[in-house]
Amino acid sequence: MDMNERKIGDVILALDNISLSFGAMKVLDDISFDVRQGEIRSIIGPNGAGKSSMLNVINGFYHPQEGSITFRGEKRKEMDVHKAAASGIARTFQNIALFKGMSTLDNIMTGRNLKMKCNIFQQGWYWGKAQKEEIEHRQKVEEIIDFLEIQNIRKTPVGRLPYGFQKRVELGRALAAEPDILLLDEPMAGMNVEEKEDMSRFILDINDEFGTTIILIEHDMGVVMDLSDRVVVLDYGLQLADGPPDEVRSNQTVIDAYLGVSH
Amino acid sequence: MSNKPHDTFPRLLASHVKLRPNHTAMREKDLGIWQSWTWSQVSKEVQTLAGGLASLGLKRGEKLAIIGDNRPRLYWGMTAAQTLGAIPVPLYQDSVADEMAYILDNADAKIALVEDQEQVDKLLEIRDRCPQIEHIIFDDPRGLRHYDQPFLHNFEDIQRQGQEYNQQHGDYLNNEMAQSDGDEIAIMLYTSGTTGQPKGVVLTNDNVIITAHNGIVREGLTADEDVLAYLPMAWVGDNLFSYAQSLVAGFCVSCPENGSTVTNDLREIGPTYYFAPPRVYENILTQVMIRMEDAGKLKRSMFHYFMEHARKNGVKILNGEKVSVTDSLLYKLGSFLVYGPLKDALGLGRIKLAYTAGEAIGPEIFEFYRSLGINIKQLYGQTECMVFLCVQPDGEVFADTVGTPAIDVEIKIDDNGEILYRSPGVFHSYYKNPESTASTKTADGWVLTGDAGFFDEQNGHLKIIDRAKDVGKLNNGTMFAPKYIENKLKFYSFIKEAVLFGNERDHSCAFINIDIEAVGNWAERRNLAYSGYIDLAAQSEVYGLIKECVNKVNKDLSKDSRLGGSQIHRFIILHKELDADDGELTRTRKVKRNFVGDRYKVLIDALYSNLDECHVKTQVTFEDGRTGLLEADVKISNAEVYSIDNLTAASEV
C-alpha cells in the first residue's frame, strides 16, 4: 500500500504529565505523548508496564491524579467513560468482552447504541421512526460485517465462534460506533500467523478507508513495527522512548528494558 | 419455449427482455439482503458495460479475461464481450499468479475484468509477463483507493463511460450483435490440466447453445428454475448451468454472498436445479451424520428409524415403483417429521433435478439423497463437448453408471476400451494448439475422451473404469485401474483422498489422506488427543481404522477376477493433505498422480521395501506464495490380501 497518500493531521489527543497511582503503587509516572489525527500510534512495553492503564486513562475509566488530557483542543483533567464514547473513542479489550449468547449481528448492533435516537416508547411501538432508524443501523452493521468478511457467522452466537473470529466481532462492535479514535488492546494476542495477518490487514484498512485514528497495544514486535507510525515505550510506569518505529527499535534503553539485555 | 433457441447469447438476452422483462434474472446477496435484477435490468447493465469495453478498444475476436467468484457483474462481462463479438475467457479465481500468467499470455487477453484487490494484485505482479493486457477493470473498489495506475478502472466508471459511448455511437452495439452467428466463437475455457499446461478449449455459440438447449429439453427445465451459482466460473459446468442454460431457458441465477456462506445461501434460495461434485454431497452427509450423533436421544432415534425406512422404500417411491400402503403412509409421516425438515435445512427442499459428475460417487451417499426423495443423477461429460455426453434417465439411476447418451450424442468404444463421441457440442479447437486438436479430434469428427469404459449390457448405460492412459498392468498380468480402486477407498468417509501405485510393479500400494473432520470426530469419541492433521494421521489407532477400510476394499477386489490381483499390499497415511497450492491436485481437486509419485518418491521406495517407517521432508506452499518445510516420520502398514475368488476366475477364462 502506498503510505505517502495517507493524511496524518494535527494533534487530536494530547496527554501531558499523566501520573496514576493505586494506593502506594504508581502505575503511570509522568507520561506525556500525543496522538495525531489519522495515525496508527502504538504503546508497547513488557507485562505490567502500564499499557492497559494508559488506555483506561484515555477512555476515562481511570482518572489520573496528575496531568491533563487535551482532546480536540479541549483540556480536562479526567475523561468520563460515557463522554469518551460519545465523543468518538471506542475500544476493544484484552480479554474478549462480548455477549456470548448473542449473535455476531446483535453484538455489533450493540455498538450502535449511542447512535440510537429513539426513546423507549418509540422503540416499544417500533413502527415508524424506530423502524426507519433500525434499518439505517442494520445497514451500517451490514457494511461492517462485509468489511470484516464475517458474513458466514452473521447469525452465529459468538460463544460458539473460534477465538480469532471473536476478536474480529469485537473489533466490529467498536467500529459500529464510528469512532474517531479506536483503542485496540492486544488485538492479536493468542492468534496464529494467518489470523495475525488478517487482523493487521483489517487495522490498516480501517485506518485507510475510514481515516480512523488507532491507538494500539500489542506484544508482537513485528506487527507493531510494521503497522505503526509512531511508538511510545513504557516500562514500569515510566516513559522510555517515543518516536517512529525505526528510531525506537534502535534506542538502547528500549533494547535493554524491553527486548532484554544480552549477556 | 420455442423449438430452436436463438444462436447467440446477446440475442437470447434480448429475447428474454421481450418475453419476460420483469422476471428476475439474477440475484446476489449483498449486505445481508438479496438484491435482484430483472431481465430488462440485466440487459441495460450489459449494454453499458459492452459500450465501456468498446470504448477501451475491445474488438471482435479479442479476449476478455474474467477472474473472480461468481458475481453478477462478471457474468454480465461475458455477455458484454459476446455482444461485441469478443471472447470471454474465465480463469480460476484461486489460481496463483504464475498459473494465471500462462493462461493470460496464451489466450492473448487484452482486457481483464476482475473481482477485487486480491486479483488486481496478482495481475500487477505478473504484468511484465503479460504485456498484452491493456486494461484491468475491478468490481469491488475496496483497498484499491491508492492504486493510481492509469490502466486500472472501476467497473462503475467503465459503465458510465459506456453509456456515453453508446449515446455517441448510436447503433454500434446492434450492428456488432447482428454480425455474430452460431459459428462464431462464444467462449474459451481452459482445461484444468491434469497433465501438462492447461489448454484453451474454443467453443462456438452453436456448441454451447445447442448443447444447453438439448439438456433443457431432455430434463424438461423451464424459466421457473432457481439455480445457485457457486462453482468456479472458469469451469465448464458453471458456464453451462449458471450461464448458458439460464440464458436459453430464462431462469434465475443467484450468486452467494461469498465462498463461506454458500450453505446458508443455498438454504435461503432453495434451488430447484442443482449441480455439485460428489465431494460436496459427501461433505453434507458427513455434516448431517456428525450433527445427528450430537442430537438428543429422541431426535436421534427418530432420525435413524425413518432413515432406515427411507433406505428401504425411498428410492422405489422416487422411481415410481409400487410400495405397500403402510410403507407409503409411513414414508409420508417420515417426510413430515424427518425428510422434509432435513432437506429444508440442507437447502435441498425444492430440488427437481440434481446432478453430480466428475468423480465416482459412493453408493451409500447416492442412496441417502435419493431415499430422501432428491432426484440426484449422474452425468458424464467434458469441457470439449460442453459437458453433456451421458445422463441417467429418470427412474434408471444407478450408482455405478453414468447413464445413456444425451440428445444428439453418438458414442462408441474403440478396441482399447477408450470412449469416443460425436455431438453438436464438439469443440472448435484447442487454442493455438493444432497438434493437440488433431490428436484429440479425428478427421470424421469423433473425439477421444481419454476415458476407458464399456456399455452395460443389461441397461445400456455407460460405465467408466478409469482414464484410458492410467489403466496399466501389474507384473503379474492383472489389469491395474488405479482410479477404480481409489474410488472404492474414498467411499469410506474416513478416507478423503487416495493415490494408488502399481503399474509395472509386483503389487499395489497406496497413499491415504484421512478426512480430518470424520476421523477427528471418531478420535474425539474415543478420547484420542491430537493436535492437528499430522499428529492424527500418525496415530496407530488411526492406522488401525484405515487398515480395516483397506482390507474391506481388498476383500471386494478379490471377488473380481479381472482386478483381484491388484489388491493393496501396503499403505501409508500421508503426513500432509494433498493440496492444489503445492501442485499435488488440480484446481478442480483431482490428484496429479505422476507429480505426487515424483514428489514422494522416498515414500514409494519405502512402500516397496521391508521398512516400516520412513522419514520425509516436504516443501509446502502457503496461499500467499510463501513456502515452508514440513518434516515427518511416516509409518507404513501392511494390509490383508485375500485369495482371488477362483470360481469367477474360472468362469472368465
Side-chain angles (χ1 to χ4, degrees):
Chain A
M1 191 174 57
D2 193 348
M3 286 294 193
N4 302 330
E5 297 244 352
R6 276 180 51 217
K7 282 209 180 78
I8 293 182
D10 298 332
V11 172
I12 181 170
L13 176 75
L15 300 136
D16 293 302
N17 312 102
I18 300 285
S19 292
L20 174 74
S21 317
F22 296 115
M25 195 163 75
K26 203 150 204 184
V27 180
L28 296 170
D29 189 0
D30 196 24
I31 309 287
S32 301
F33 65 95
D34 60 24
V35 181
R36 290 174 180 278
Q37 175 83 47
E39 79 175 332
I40 300 181
R41 189 73 153 116
S42 292
I43 304 174
I44 62 170
N47 287 330
K51 304 182 298 289
S52 293
S53 302
M54 197 66 236
L55 281 201
N56 281 327
V57 167
I58 294 173
N59 84 332
F61 189 66
Y62 290 162
H63 301 157
Q65 283 80 4
E66 284 166 53
S68 66
I69 302 166
T70 314
F71 182 51
R72 292 215 182 94
E74 200 181 320
K75 202 164 192 160
R76 61 181 78 161
K77 176 146 184 183
E78 59 194 37
M79 279 263 198
D80 169 273
V81 187
H82 297 285
K83 272 192 204 141
S87 63
I89 298 179
R91 73 168 295 178
T92 67
F93 297 84
Q94 195 173 340
N95 312 314
I96 296 172
L98 291 164
F99 301 99
K100 302 270 181 211
M102 277 163 43
S103 69
T104 297
L105 183 73
D106 290 339
N107 265 287
I108 299 178
M109 201 64 145
T110 58
R112 300 292 298 169
N113 190 30
L114 281 170
K115 304 264 171 195
M116 294 186 183
K117 300 283 181 293
C118 289
N119 61 39
I120 189 167
F121 299 108
Q122 286 169 320
Q123 290 190 354
W125 172 245
Y126 183 66
W127 289 282
K129 196 166 173 239
Q131 184 185 25
K132 188 164 161 272
E133 196 183 22
E134 175 148 339
I135 289 170
E136 282 165 18
H137 289 305
R138 174 70 189 265
Q139 164 92 17
K140 199 74 210 169
V141 169
E142 284 293 345
E143 281 166 18
I144 290 163
I145 288 177
D146 183 61
F147 185 84
L148 295 174
E149 294 161 16
I150 45 177
Q151 294 97 334
N152 55 326
I153 52 162
R154 188 185 276 124
K155 304 239 164 107
T156 316
V158 293
R160 292 220 315 250
L161 294 175
Y163 183 75
F165 272 113
Q166 294 196 12
K167 281 275 190 192
R168 228 188 268 187
V169 175
E170 204 185 27
L171 179 62
R173 183 179 58 186
L175 278 181
E178 297 176 59
D180 294 327
I181 300 184
L182 183 59
L183 312 180
L184 302 176
D185 196 349
E186 299 203 22
M188 286 170 240
M191 286 189 172
N192 64 28
V193 178
E194 213 163 304
E195 288 170 331
K196 279 184 186 177
E197 277 177 5
D198 280 346
M199 187 54 96
S200 301
R201 193 167 55 81
F202 287 127
I203 292 173
L204 285 172
D205 281 354
I206 290 164
N207 176 254
D208 184 49
E209 292 273 314
F210 311 130
T212 311
T213 308
I214 289 167
I215 302 178
L216 174 71
I217 293 180
E218 184 50 51
H219 270 298
D220 187 317
M221 275 304 112
V223 168
V224 169
M225 295 302 169
D226 278 354
L227 297 184
S228 316
D229 295 300
R230 288 191 298 162
V231 181
V232 57
V233 189
L234 304 184
D235 189 18
Y236 291 105
L238 295 169
Q239 183 168 339
L240 292 188
D242 182 14
D246 285 337
E247 203 179 296
V248 166
R249 208 198 314 247
S250 53
N251 183 318
Q252 196 55 47
T253 345
V254 176
I255 296 172
D256 291 350
Y258 188 74
L259 305 173
V261 188
S262 57
H263 296 285
Chain B
M1 195 173 54
S2 64
N3 290 333
K4 199 174 176 305
H6 294 270
D7 60 355
T8 69
F9 287 102
R11 281 188 199 126
L12 284 167
L13 175 57
S15 74
H16 294 304
V17 174
K18 264 197 204 130
L19 218 63
R20 45 180 77 85
N22 299 320
H23 186 110
T24 308
M26 230 165 191
R27 291 192 205 101
E28 180 190 30
K29 198 171 182 189
D30 187 32
L31 298 182
I33 295 170
W34 285 100
Q35 318 283 338
S36 56
W37 291 266
T38 64
W39 282 106
S40 63
Q41 284 168 327
V42 166
S43 169
K44 283 195 191 94
E45 298 276 358
V46 167
Q47 300 259 331
T48 48
L49 179 58
L53 292 172
S55 74
L56 292 177
L58 189 69
K59 295 199 176 59
R60 184 162 298 275
E62 291 180 332
K63 320 292 186 309
L64 173 75
I66 293 175
I67 315 170
D69 285 337
N70 312 69
R71 296 276 162 236
R73 285 171 166 184
L74 301 191
Y75 284 109
W76 300 337
M78 290 196 186
T79 329
Q82 286 161 340
T83 304
L84 301 172
I87 302 162
V89 185
L91 274 72
Y92 284 95
Q93 71 274 27
D94 57 353
S95 301
V96 294
D98 271 344
E99 294 168 330
M100 281 186 184
Y102 174 81
I103 294 179
L104 292 170
D105 180 58
N106 183 266
D108 305 311
K110 184 175 180 180
I111 299 180
L113 170 61
V114 306
E115 187 190 2
D116 54 12
Q117 185 188 14
E118 184 190 343
Q119 308 298 350
V120 170
D121 284 345
K122 283 193 230 173
L123 293 192
L124 293 180
E125 188 186 326
I126 55 173
R127 191 163 157 72
D128 50 333
R129 284 151 67 192
C130 308
Q132 79 291 350
I133 295 188
E134 292 175 15
H135 298 280
I136 300 171
I137 306 168
F138 55 85
D139 172 6
D140 180 0
R142 174 166 172 207
L144 290 165
R145 181 187 311 215
H146 300 304
Y147 289 51
D148 52 5
Q149 288 85 344
F151 53 84
L152 262 183
H153 312 279
N154 188 326
F155 187 92
E156 282 163 20
D157 294 339
I158 293 302
Q159 276 194 323
R160 263 193 292 279
Q161 208 169 303
Q163 203 159 14
E164 278 171 34
Y165 185 90
N166 290 346
Q167 277 163 8
Q168 285 159 13
H169 293 77
D171 274 337
Y172 180 76
L173 292 187
N174 286 334
N175 291 339
E176 288 300 320
M177 255 173 77
Q179 285 181 46
S180 303
D181 60 23
D183 292 330
E184 198 173 61
I185 310 299
I187 193 163
M188 267 165 54
L189 297 167
Y190 276 78
T191 57
S192 53
T194 323
T195 49
Q197 291 287 11
K199 288 181 286 202
V201 179
V202 178
L203 293 154
T204 65
N205 282 318
D206 279 349
N207 288 156
V208 182
I209 292 171
I210 294 176
T211 311
H213 178 73
N214 284 347
I216 288 164
V217 171
R218 173 148 172 180
E219 304 289 5
L221 301 175
T222 69
D224 298 322
E225 310 306 332
D226 260 305
V227 165
L228 188 74
Y230 72 104
L231 290 158
M233 288 181 70
W235 178 60
V236 64
D238 183 69
N239 196 259
L240 179 78
F241 303 121
S242 317
Y243 183 72
Q245 290 198 321
S246 160
L247 273 156
V248 173
F251 59 70
C252 174
V253 173
S254 303
C255 297
E257 195 162 15
N258 65 32
S260 56
T261 61
V262 170
T263 14
N264 266 331
D265 298 333
L266 190 69
R267 198 175 159 184
E268 288 175 7
I269 291 295
T272 60
Y273 178 32
Y274 180 64
F275 178 94
R279 70 174 69 233
V280 171
Y281 292 107
E282 271 172 50
N283 287 346
I284 298 177
L285 178 57
T286 312
Q287 291 286 349
V288 169
M289 287 309 174
I290 289 173
R291 285 176 63 179
M292 282 323 297
E293 286 302 311
D294 291 336
K297 204 169 168 216
L298 177 70
K299 275 190 191 164
R300 202 168 58 223
S301 47
M302 204 162 82
F303 174 78
H304 287 300
Y305 174 77
F306 281 108
M307 283 318 296
E308 183 58 26
H309 183 73
R311 209 172 56 76
K312 287 187 195 135
N313 302 287
V315 176
K316 284 187 199 160
I317 291 170
L318 183 64
N319 287 344
E321 290 165 35
K322 265 209 140 97
V323 293
S324 74
V325 179
T326 348
D327 284 342
S328 163
L329 282 175
L330 203 54
Y331 190 84
K332 284 206 175 94
L333 182 64
S335 293
F336 178 71
L337 291 172
V338 177
Y339 319 140
L342 178 62
K343 284 194 285 185
D344 210 34
L346 300 177
L348 303 176
R350 295 205 304 150
I351 294 279
K352 285 201 315 212
L353 172 64
Y355 280 137
T356 185
E359 301 264 330
I361 186 165
E364 74 286 349
I365 296 167
F366 205 56
E367 205 171 79
F368 170 81
Y369 290 98
R370 291 193 58 82
S371 68
L372 286 177
I374 296 168
N375 188 19
I376 168 175
K377 311 202 282 185
Q378 300 199 68
L379 65 81
Y380 170 59
Q382 288 195 312
T383 310
E384 283 81 349
C385 58
M386 201 60 206
V387 181
F388 286 120
L389 280 180
C390 286
V391 183
Q392 293 182 324
D394 282 330
E396 289 182 40
V397 177
F398 314 98
D400 57 348
T401 79
V402 294
T404 56
I407 297 177
D408 294 342
V409 176
E410 295 173 75
I411 291 187
K412 67 176 181 185
I413 314 283
D414 78 0
D415 302 337
N416 307 327
E418 183 167 353
I419 302 162
L420 279 76
Y421 64 85
R422 266 198 307 212
S423 82
V426 168
F427 70 120
H428 178 273
S429 59
Y430 290 119
Y431 190 59
K432 294 199 295 197
N433 194 343
E435 302 86 43
S436 288
T437 310
S439 65
T440 310
K441 228 166 125 172
T442 65
D444 46 355
W446 289 95
V447 178
L448 287 84
T449 57
D451 288 327
F454 59 91
F455 277 103
D456 190 308
E457 280 155 19
Q458 284 172 1
N459 51 31
H461 283 215
L462 187 66
K463 270 190 178 178
I464 313 286
I465 315 174
D466 203 338
R467 296 292 296 168
K469 65 170 172 40
D470 286 341
V471 176
K473 268 199 167 50
L474 290 166
N475 287 344
N476 62 16
T478 312
M479 180 166 81
F480 176 64
K483 198 154 170 196
Y484 184 79
I485 302 172
E486 285 161 13
N487 286 334
K488 278 187 182 294
L489 286 167
K490 280 156 65 179
F491 291 155
Y492 294 97
S493 63
F494 298 123
I495 300 179
K496 184 165 187 192
E497 207 60 76
V499 193
L500 221 75
F501 302 94
N503 194 25
E504 292 168 16
R505 290 185 186 265
D506 292 338
H507 52 252
S508 307
C509 287
F511 286 177
I512 307 280
N513 258 178
I514 51 171
D515 186 300
I516 182 81
E517 214 165 313
V519 178
N521 201 269
W522 176 87
E524 262 173 48
R525 277 171 210 297
R526 275 155 194 77
N527 286 324
L528 282 178
Y530 68 97
S531 61
Y533 182 88
I534 305 180
D535 185 24
L536 187 61
Q539 304 217 2
S540 55
E541 288 87 347
V542 174
Y543 263 87
L545 175 74
I546 298 300
K547 187 171 173 177
E548 269 173 45
C549 302
V550 174
N551 288 347
K552 279 187 209 152
V553 168
N554 280 348
K555 182 100 204 166
D556 211 24
L557 284 171
S558 73
K559 289 176 193 151
D560 187 330
S561 61
R562 274 180 305 179
L563 298 167
S566 58
Q567 290 176 55
I568 300 157
H569 285 232
R570 277 153 71 81
F571 72 92
I572 56 164
I573 302 178
L574 275 182
H575 56 295
K576 76 177 271 288
E577 289 186 274
L578 296 175
D579 194 336
D581 284 340
D582 291 324
E584 296 160 341
L585 302 177
T586 65
R587 287 289 158 198
T588 46
R589 302 194 59 81
K590 290 180 189 156
V591 173
K592 295 188 186 172
R593 190 187 320 279
N594 292 339
F595 181 86
V596 171
D598 290 341
R599 184 174 162 93
Y600 298 107
K601 191 164 179 310
V602 201
L603 292 178
I604 297 180
D605 290 343
L607 276 170
Y608 286 99
S609 69
N610 299 323
L611 300 173
D612 50 13
E613 196 169 74
C614 176
H615 188 76
V616 62
K617 279 186 205 172
T618 316
Q619 180 154 328
V620 290
T621 314
F622 302 111
E623 213 165 81
D624 61 3
R626 289 179 305 122
T627 55
L629 204 65
L630 195 68
E631 283 191 61
D633 288 311
V634 181
K635 278 180 240 163
I636 299 167
S637 171
N638 292 323
E640 294 293 331
V641 175
Y642 301 88
S643 60
I644 302 167
D645 195 332
N646 285 316
L647 266 178
T648 34
S651 66
E652 281 276 318
V653 172

